[in-house]
Amino acid sequence: MSKDIRIKKGLNIKLIGEAEKTTSKAALSNVYAINLQDFHGITPKMLVKPGAEVKAGEPLFYNKNMEDMLFVSPVSGELIEVVRGARRKILSLKILADKSQESIEHPVISLGNASAEEIKTLLLKSGCWPFVKQRPYDVIANPQQTPKAIFISAYVTSPLSADLNYSLRGKDKEIQAALTALSKLTPGKVHVSIAKSGESFFSGMDGIEKHSVSGPHPAGLVGTQINKIDPINKGEVVWTLAPHDLVIIGELLLTGKFNAERVIALVGSSVKAPKYYTTKIGAEVATFLYASGVNSENFRVINGDVLTGVKTKPEGHLGYYNNTVTAIPEGDDYELFGWNKPVFDKISSTRSLTFSWLQPQKKYDLNTNTNGEHRNFVLTGFYEEVFPMDIYPLQLLKACMIKDIDEMEQLGLYEVAPEDFSLTEFICVSKQPHQQIIREGLDLLYKEIG
Amino acid sequence: MSLKNNLHKLKEKYKGKKMAPAFNALHTFLYSPNETTHSGSHIRAVDDLKRTMNTVIMALVPVLFFGIFNAGYQHYAAVDAANGVIREASLFGNFITWENFIMGAWTVLPLVIISYGVGLAVEFIFAVIKGHEVEEGYLVTGMLVPLIVPIDTPLWMLAVAVVFGVVIGKEVFGGTGMNILNPALTIRAFLFFAYPTWMSGDKVWVHQAVERAGGPDAISGETVLGFLAQGKGAEISYSVSDMFFGFIPGSVGETSTLLILLGGLFLIFSKIASWRIMVSAVAGSLIMGIMFNATVAAGWITETSSFYGLMSFEYWKHLIVGGLAFGIVYMATDPVTGSQTNRGKWIYGFFIGFISVLIRVFNPAYPEGVFLAILLMNVFAPTIDHYVVKGNINRRLKRAKNATVLPTDSEGKAKELKAETI
């Protein structure tokens, strides 16, 4: 049965550089890297030493606080470097890929008869568990807990993101297998949100609760959907997964192999020919970025979308969770009287000599300039216009800033992830780092209450 | 080498030094900064605090210009009246004239210059001492101050009040965004309590009325509210259109309800000021006015009462005389000191309108209540927000109690929800 969710509050950010619907195979990367910052809150314990040969799907390290949780290599090759930062913190692992790839094989389980424990054990052992995230705290799910429901958003509203109907094409079997397996891990439902208009890749899937969603961004964020479908209360846990990660989980369940291959969208106004590429987790961005060409030297590469992604470099590597890589111009230049002249080429949530409201369908070429300096919170009532949850965003941010744990709990911090504040951060007149404030608040709450 | 490069070099040279904030303020006034995002949203909307403040200033400029002309007009009208010539205001006949403009500019611009000069000096000094950037809040405050004081306010008095208002009203709380009371109104309140003879009465609203008082060429400058408060309502010679268009004595910027209305519509359209506060404040003042009118109609107040003049004043006329409209549009909507939740804004605005008219009627010595009402509600705004947010918290608590699917422990058993601990 399909249920309708209509989101009214929000803002669609239309940018230049959408990916054309053609897919190329990205050049093979020599070196693949696992960036440890992708796994927030994990303390890694290495299982292999530099110089060791590993196969695709072979564990590289585990979570010190939960030894069952393994993290595996996306390719077979030699672990050539463990990059460390301050206090010997591991930042990333680099693997020099072999010419011919070999994978670890896990026994294939019968999905119809498999128990929740069996599925969980397989996902943990195979390195697929990190794809399962949990709320509260927006971290990798704790396998010892049972979620009240699992949420997957197949309605994408973030700017320039990959079109799932295109990028997941031909992966029906894998996704159905993953959904069937996941439905055993919760006594509740597996909620999948699809776009209300048009066909969705997930329309024909079984064993899930489908929700038709419409409305502007952040309607596509899983946090928004959880809030509207079945909000998280204190003491409850829900799990979330990204649709493109279901493909890897599904393939593991069907074949017993961890296949890190993924169709990604290379987008952004700095890319000459934005389109889709088939590549692998951890591949060098340069292997597909320069194949599409870049418009100038001064651009920023982002692992993910422009609102929630992580800054990287052309010589950086595709993130563990990303199916989009964005390149937009750096905005490190001054603008004469930029603060008071009429503006036609940037997006605004107000109408103070800004005219984006006149052309809501126009696509913009935004750069990374902050368009102003960091200030205390001054304007009020703004965030509420783009924040559809039943939460007071400004009050929650302030509670996080003053580290008032009671207030943070009471105002709904359990329900949110940093990405839910990406749009309020985008429109913030005071240029406050909302996502960072929420992340620090979540970390504090996890540490104190966990 | 271009100005942009020179400024950039200077910025780098002074980075981390004491004078950097002062220098950066001038730099960012000319050029929007070259700062880029680092994490979180990599792109940002175009609005910043400077643009926001600039929009409010744009909404104030017509009122300022009208105030300049009106200052001249009221002076010459009063002089004519002293000589027995009664003028009838005409916008292009005797209002928009060079004579009025020059007289008005001569009296109003010094107020603007002192307000900005002294206020920004204090801001710069604090920014340098405390090592933070010069914030934009004073851009609007500096414009508001000359608009809410009587025309002949001595400049030294204004300077002292501005220093007091910026330091005690804002900087001690941590600067723009952290203050509890509206800084412009703090300045106004300081003037009102420290120098009351210059802030009320019948001689401060028209240029030179104080100087000439008692002399053979004495001129009068009573406001509409002044007449009403003294029970001399019958002597009011101003028509309703005079009051609406603003051809009446009063503080520099408060007289033209038309331009204030247009300014308010511009602020609502540009989304900078809260329409909720404006609408509810208007509603609050009308309801209070209706209640007073009804009291008079019921015969509970007789003409002998000192409250009769203002109580019997038609309820809707409160909006076109005195500073009520100006206060509602430009002062009550201050986002920092007002209520911050949308529901709270309705309550906050309503009480501002309601209490403004209440103070007007019951404070005949000084028949203007809007600034006291706003300051009072500034103090109550956090309490209003507290209860509004509490409602949201209670809703969440109730939801937790009614949760149908309970979380389970590691053995799959459903755990009791400890909702009471929320």
Side-chain angles (χ1 to χ4, degrees):
Chain A
M1 195 181 70
S2 174
K3 289 176 184 170
D4 275 6
I5 300 165
R6 189 161 162 242
I7 306 289
K8 287 181 188 164
K9 294 175 172 183
L11 177 71
N12 275 334
I13 299 173
K14 293 189 188 304
L15 300 178
I16 292 172
E18 202 176 323
E20 194 194 327
K21 289 199 172 76
T22 52
T23 309
S24 301
K25 204 166 167 54
L28 286 178
S29 191
N30 288 328
V31 176
Y32 288 77
I34 299 290
N35 187 354
L36 273 290
Q37 281 167 343
D38 286 347
F39 312 114
H40 188 81
I42 298 293
T43 310
K45 274 298 228 185
M46 290 303 295
L47 289 166
V48 287
K49 287 184 177 166
E53 288 289 334
V54 290
K55 286 181 181 171
E58 191 172 326
L60 295 172
F61 62 94
Y62 63 92
N63 179 4
K64 192 182 169 192
N65 303 321
M66 208 165 287
E67 294 185 9
D68 294 342
M69 197 188 289
L70 301 177
F71 296 79
V72 300
S73 172
V75 289
S76 65
E78 181 194 345
L79 177 68
I80 50 169
E81 193 181 355
V82 177
V83 183
R84 290 177 187 269
R87 296 164 75 188
R88 293 188 51 76
K89 184 183 173 187
I90 301 175
L91 299 179
S92 67
L93 308 176
K94 290 187 174 173
I95 301 137
L96 182 65
D98 289 338
K99 286 259 167 0
S100 61
Q101 290 288 307
E102 278 183 86
S103 291
I104 280 196
E105 288 201 32
H106 298 279
V108 177
I109 56 171
S110 158
L111 275 179
N113 307 326
S115 69
E117 256 339 284
E118 278 177 90
I119 292 168
K120 221 184 258 187
T121 310
L122 177 63
L123 293 181
L124 284 163
K125 208 164 64 173
S126 64
C128 280
W129 191 263
F131 294 128
V132 186
K133 291 222 178 160
Q134 73 162 55
R135 297 207 182 184
Y137 310 124
D138 190 38
V139 289
I140 295 171
N142 179 352
Q144 286 161 8
Q145 287 176 321
T146 308
K148 74 166 179 172
I150 294 174
F151 289 86
I152 295 157
S153 171
Y155 176 50
V156 180
T157 51
S158 49
L160 295 179
S161 280
D163 180 347
L164 295 177
N165 285 338
Y166 179 77
S167 67
L168 300 183
R169 231 169 27 174
K171 298 291 181 188
D172 311 54
K173 264 195 283 176
E174 285 85 352
I175 289 180
Q176 181 61 66
L179 292 172
T180 307
L182 288 172
S183 65
K184 298 197 171 197
L185 302 184
T186 173
K189 289 170 177 161
V190 177
H191 299 277
V192 178
S193 305
I194 58 177
K196 192 180 177 193
S197 58
E199 265 303 289
S200 170
F201 182 81
F202 284 82
S203 299
M205 298 285 167
D206 297 325
I208 53 175
E209 180 91 348
K210 281 172 230 155
H211 303 270
S212 302
V213 188
S214 59
H217 190 63
L221 291 184
V222 73
T224 310
Q225 294 160 5
I226 297 170
N227 188 268
K228 300 294 172 195
I229 296 167
D230 186 6
I232 308 164
N233 301 301
K234 185 182 179 181
E236 294 176 340
V237 175
V238 302
W239 289 351
T240 65
L241 286 102
H244 52 266
D245 293 333
L246 294 178
V247 176
I248 297 177
I249 295 176
E251 194 164 344
L252 172 89
L253 293 165
L254 295 174
T255 66
K257 287 182 185 171
F258 180 95
N259 182 3
E261 197 170 271
R262 182 176 282 174
V263 175
I264 61 132
L266 175 65
V267 296
S269 61
S270 288
V271 182
K272 269 188 185 154
K275 60 178 185 173
Y276 290 82
Y277 284 93
T278 308
T279 184
K280 278 186 178 171
I281 291 172
E284 273 178 87
V285 173
T287 56
F288 47 86
L289 178 69
Y290 292 117
S292 272
V294 288
N295 289 325
S296 75
E297 286 302 301
N298 195 21
F299 62 89
R300 175 180 298 186
V301 188
I302 301 158
N303 246 329
D305 68 62
V306 282
L307 291 180
T308 59
V310 179
K311 190 175 168 180
T312 182
K313 291 175 183 166
E315 59 272 24
H317 297 261
L318 179 67
Y320 207 80
Y321 295 99
N322 306 119
N323 70 337
T324 306
V325 172
T326 314
I328 54 168
E330 281 287 5
D332 52 350
D333 199 5
Y334 303 92
E335 194 179 347
L336 187 64
F337 291 124
W339 59 277
N340 62 0
K341 65 184 181 188
V343 179
F344 297 91
D345 58 349
K346 289 177 182 175
I347 296 174
S348 165
S349 56
T350 72
R351 301 188 188 115
S352 46
L353 283 195
T354 53
F355 297 92
S356 60
W357 58 275
L358 275 176
Q359 293 167 293
Q361 297 308 319
K362 184 181 167 182
K363 291 183 176 177
Y364 291 84
D365 181 7
L366 299 188
N367 59 33
T368 62
N369 195 287
T370 51
N371 298 318
E373 293 171 298
H374 181 272
R375 293 288 183 262
N376 294 326
F377 285 113
V378 171
L379 285 194
T380 58
F382 261 67
Y383 309 141
E384 286 79 354
E385 287 190 11
V386 296
F387 195 83
M389 297 190 193
D390 182 23
I391 283 173
Y392 282 100
L394 178 65
Q395 284 69 17
L396 182 55
L397 285 165
K398 286 183 173 176
C400 290
M401 288 169 91
I402 59 167
K403 297 185 168 54
D404 185 333
I405 289 178
D406 281 348
E407 283 251 302
M408 284 150 68
E409 275 192 342
Q410 291 172 347
L411 289 170
L413 191 62
Y414 289 120
E415 297 180 49
V416 299
E419 67 174 15
D420 297 321
F421 281 77
S422 58
L423 212 48
T424 61
E425 185 173 71
F426 172 74
I427 65 158
C428 184
V429 169
S430 299
K431 311 297 173 188
Q432 291 271 358
H434 294 207
Q435 296 191 67
Q436 187 189 325
I437 294 167
I438 293 296
R439 180 73 265 172
E440 285 167 8
L442 287 169
D443 289 347
L444 178 69
L445 205 61
Y446 191 36
K447 195 175 135 204
E448 297 293 328
I449 295 179
Chain B
M1 177 142 319
S2 68
L3 174 66
K4 189 165 83 172
N5 290 338
N6 281 326
L7 285 170
H8 178 73
K9 278 194 164 178
L10 278 171
K11 179 184 172 183
E12 294 300 315
K13 190 177 159 192
Y14 282 98
K15 211 173 203 171
K17 293 191 178 156
K18 206 109 183 112
M19 286 305 289
F23 183 77
N24 284 349
L26 296 172
H27 189 178
T28 54
F29 181 80
L30 276 174
Y31 287 93
S32 58
N34 66 341
E35 275 175 36
T36 55
T37 53
H38 299 289
S39 59
S41 295
H42 294 268
I43 51 171
R44 297 296 170 95
V46 66
D47 314 275
D48 67 341
L49 208 50
K50 279 193 180 69
R51 180 170 288 276
T52 307
M53 297 295 170
N54 190 37
T55 308
V56 184
I57 292 172
M58 286 193 318
L60 283 165
V61 167
V63 180
L64 174 75
F65 272 100
F66 187 90
I68 288 174
F69 280 104
N70 196 37
Y73 173 78
Q74 291 304 332
H75 170 76
Y76 291 117
V79 171
D80 280 357
N83 296 325
V85 181
I86 301 301
R87 276 190 183 202
E88 188 140 326
S90 152
L91 188 62
F92 295 105
N94 56 14
F95 190 80
I96 298 183
T97 64
W98 277 112
E99 194 184 31
N100 288 347
F101 180 77
I102 291 165
M103 166 66 80
W106 189 249
T107 48
V108 174
L109 290 186
L111 297 174
V112 178
I113 291 164
I114 288 294
S115 166
Y116 271 118
V118 175
L120 286 176
V122 177
E123 289 266 336
F124 271 70
I125 291 167
F126 264 87
V128 169
I129 292 173
K130 291 167 75 183
H132 63 65
E133 293 298 318
V134 178
E135 290 151 345
E136 289 79 9
Y138 197 77
L139 292 180
V140 168
T141 309
M143 183 63 112
L144 285 172
V145 168
L147 296 177
I148 55 172
V149 292
I151 184 79
D152 275 349
T153 307
L155 297 179
W156 68 267
M157 240 177 236
L158 188 67
V160 172
V162 166
V163 172
F164 174 86
V166 177
V167 176
I168 303 297
K170 192 162 72 175
E171 291 301 335
V172 292
F173 292 105
T176 301
M178 313 293 267
N179 45 311
I180 291 167
L181 300 175
N182 185 314
L185 287 178
T186 311
I187 292 167
R188 183 74 175 80
F190 178 85
L191 286 167
F192 177 64
F193 290 112
Y195 312 108
T197 54
W198 280 96
M199 293 298 124
S200 57
D202 60 354
K203 293 282 177 240
V204 298
W205 308 105
V206 172
H207 178 50
Q208 287 193 341
V210 174
E211 280 177 33
R212 297 189 183 193
D217 58 348
I219 57 175
S220 163
E222 191 61 281
T223 60
V224 175
L225 289 176
F227 278 119
L228 291 168
Q230 293 168 42
K232 297 190 287 187
E235 293 175 28
I236 296 172
S237 59
Y238 307 110
S239 64
V240 169
S241 70
D242 283 344
M243 296 177 198
F244 180 69
F245 291 116
F247 308 129
I248 53 174
S251 294
V252 176
E254 74 175 22
T255 63
S256 177
T257 313
L258 173 68
L259 291 178
I260 292 167
L261 183 67
L262 292 176
L265 290 175
F266 173 67
L267 286 178
I268 290 171
F269 173 76
S270 62
K271 294 193 185 180
I272 297 300
S274 166
W275 60 271
R276 291 179 178 86
I277 293 178
M278 291 192 212
V279 170
S280 62
V282 169
S285 67
L286 291 178
I287 288 171
M288 186 81 258
I290 289 169
M291 282 163 67
F292 281 132
N293 284 179
T295 310
V296 173
W300 294 341
I301 291 284
T302 59
E303 283 189 41
T304 53
S305 165
S306 59
F307 304 131
Y308 182 82
L310 277 156
M311 269 200 186
S312 59
F313 192 47
E314 281 162 282
Y315 64 93
W316 55 273
K317 285 189 183 169
H318 280 288
L319 285 165
I320 57 172
V321 297
L324 185 57
F326 189 90
I328 288 172
V329 170
Y330 298 108
M331 307 294 225
T333 51
D334 173 9
V336 176
T337 56
S339 219
Q340 303 193 345
T341 55
N342 284 342
R343 194 168 293 181
K345 281 173 180 165
W346 286 110
I347 303 165
Y348 171 80
F350 181 85
F351 277 105
I352 284 177
F354 196 81
I355 296 171
S356 292
V357 177
L358 187 76
I359 295 176
R360 260 189 189 181
V361 172
F362 289 127
N363 186 8
Y366 181 73
E368 183 51 279
V370 68
F371 92 92
L372 290 171
I374 295 172
L375 284 173
L376 181 69
M377 291 313 294
N378 281 172
V379 175
F380 279 105
T383 311
I384 296 170
D385 283 338
H386 171 80
Y387 284 104
V388 171
V389 172
K390 194 87 184 158
N392 179 277
I393 291 169
N394 287 340
R395 209 158 47 239
R396 192 164 284 109
L397 180 68
K398 202 172 155 194
R399 198 180 71 200
K401 279 181 181 162
N402 295 336
T404 47
V405 181
L406 295 174
T408 51
D409 58 20
S410 56
E411 289 160 11
K413 285 181 188 164
K415 280 196 293 194
E416 271 302 314
L417 248 191
K418 289 179 186 163
E420 71 280 4
T421 57
I422 289 183

